[in-house]
Amino acid sequence: MKKVLIKSYAKINIGLNVNGVTKDGYHDLDMIMVPIKMHDSILMSKLEHRKTDSVTVDDYSCRFGGHNLATLVLEELRKRHHFKEMFRVDIHKVIPIQAGFGGGSSNAVATMRGVEKLLKMNFSREELLEVSALIGSDVPFFVDNKPMRCKGRGEIMSPITIKNDYYAVVTKPTGGCSTKDVYKKCDELVLKTCDMDLIQKALEEGDDELLANNVCNSLYEPALCYVPEIKEILATMKENGAKVALMTGSGSGCFCLTTEKKLAKKIYKALEKKGYDSEITEVIK
């Protein structure tokens, strides 16, 4: 039986602004999203003599009990292309859940790539983006998996360049954040916003001082209401030399950026010493 293995990469938000609510009730966002090398692994194969797909996830902290965005992708593609094949999708999780690293959204796009390979199809970029947008707001980002300035709900994307080669130390508190709860809470608070043009300029010119002085995440204070540990993690990163340290997405995951591997290792060890599971990875340019 033929099997395919697909890497499903995580992302971080280097700056996230919530600029209010649109007429259709969604939050109007402006953010810079960047892929990192940390990834889940998805093993896919066709199922013989089965009438349903099988999606399994090996992270017992997942609450969806074997059903995630991969299932929705298979249903949508089958509706569009009328193929009869059923699939087994085994997801090995490395990307923390409820952390803002985009693991579920990335899994959705990786599943589409798996269907392509197993059925020898060739989905156009336009179709991949269209299907992705139906599945979730930040799913389209993973189609190209490149640094992007994302606006609207996240679906209005324009590529950006990053000059420096960054190591990213990523970690997550014990508790996770519900995206729905965090966005609901942000409507009750006065949110901080940053100059996203300056952040983009800093990344493109390799100006880490400018970057450090301007990064922020509008969802930080709302997320802190649910997981106060976020503040401690970011403080630990900065106390150990990180200049650019931030919560990603709607939390509770955090990251810091550095061009120095030695510094990344120092920060990683400090986090591990405090009991936080962490990983050193790299930004994908």
Side-chain angles (χ1 to χ4, degrees):
M1 181 183 296
K2 181 181 178 182
K3 297 181 179 181
V4 296
L5 184 66
I6 307 104
K7 291 180 179 179
S8 178
Y9 292 98
K11 61 84 177 170
I12 53 175
N13 296 87
I14 307 178
L16 188 157
N17 282 346
V18 178
N19 296 322
V21 181
T22 63
K23 291 180 181 179
D24 54 4
Y26 290 99
H27 289 87
D28 182 27
L29 305 177
D30 186 3
M31 54 192 174
I32 289 174
M33 293 172 64
V34 175
I36 56 177
K37 290 185 178 180
M38 180 174 72
H39 64 273
D40 294 339
S41 298
I42 299 183
L43 186 64
M44 288 184 62
S45 59
K46 288 188 285 186
L47 285 172
E48 303 294 338
H49 314 298
R50 285 284 298 268
K51 294 184 179 180
T52 57
D53 297 305
S54 172
V55 178
T56 61
V57 183
D58 65 2
D59 185 339
Y60 294 106
S61 65
C62 295
R63 298 179 182 176
F64 42 75
H67 177 101
N68 76 345
L69 299 184
T71 305
L72 302 181
V73 163
L74 293 172
E75 291 171 353
E76 179 62 27
L77 290 177
R78 191 172 287 115
K79 184 169 66 177
R80 287 166 170 258
H81 294 278
H82 310 291
F83 52 79
K84 299 187 183 300
E85 290 86 351
M86 297 293 164
F87 298 93
R88 176 170 178 168
V89 184
D90 295 324
I91 304 173
H92 170 57
K93 294 297 292 182
V94 171
I95 304 170
I97 65 167
Q98 289 194 318
F101 292 115
S105 298
S106 177
N107 292 168
V109 173
T111 300
M112 284 193 271
R113 299 297 189 190
V115 171
E116 271 191 312
K117 291 181 178 181
L118 288 168
L119 298 187
K120 297 181 179 178
M121 303 177 76
N122 186 21
F123 302 132
S124 67
R125 179 176 180 273
E126 289 71 24
E127 182 174 16
L128 290 171
L129 290 171
E130 186 179 326
V131 172
S132 296
L134 293 173
I135 303 301
S137 296
D138 64 351
V139 181
F141 167 79
F142 292 99
V143 171
D144 293 320
N145 206 51
K146 294 179 179 178
M148 294 280 183
R149 176 88 172 261
C150 303
K151 297 183 179 181
R153 285 182 290 154
E155 81 286 4
I156 304 170
M157 301 183 294
S158 55
I160 66 168
T161 58
I162 297 179
K163 182 177 181 179
N164 290 340
D165 296 322
Y166 288 112
Y167 295 99
V169 184
V170 299
T171 192
K172 180 201 167 189
T174 306
C177 286
S178 158
T179 300
K180 182 179 179 181
D181 289 345
V182 170
Y183 274 102
K184 184 177 180 182
K185 177 63 71 173
C186 84
D187 294 333
E188 304 170 8
L189 303 174
V190 176
L191 303 177
K192 182 180 179 181
T193 58
C194 42
D195 189 327
M196 209 61 62
D197 291 334
L198 280 181
I199 294 174
Q200 183 173 338
K201 180 176 185 288
L203 289 169
E204 291 175 343
E205 296 180 359
D207 189 337
D208 285 349
E209 201 66 40
L210 182 64
L211 184 63
N213 290 335
N214 285 280
V215 290
C216 78
N217 183 334
S218 291
L219 298 176
Y220 170 71
E221 293 291 345
L224 210 58
C225 295
Y226 297 101
V227 186
E229 281 178 288
I230 295 168
K231 187 175 184 179
E232 180 184 338
I233 287 175
L234 294 176
T236 299
M237 289 176 169
K238 290 178 180 178
E239 286 164 6
N240 285 275
K243 291 183 177 180
V244 180
L246 200 64
M247 184 187 83
T248 183
S250 55
S252 61
C254 301
F255 70 92
C256 64
L257 298 178
T258 177
T259 57
E260 302 173 30
K261 192 169 187 178
K262 186 176 180 180
L263 179 57
K265 288 181 177 179
K266 178 186 175 184
I267 295 166
Y268 166 82
K269 288 177 181 177
L271 291 166
E272 289 282 310
K273 189 174 181 180
K274 289 196 172 185
Y276 295 115
D277 288 333
S278 305
E279 183 168 335
I280 300 175
T281 183
E282 297 174 44
V283 166
I284 297 173
K285 293 163 59 174

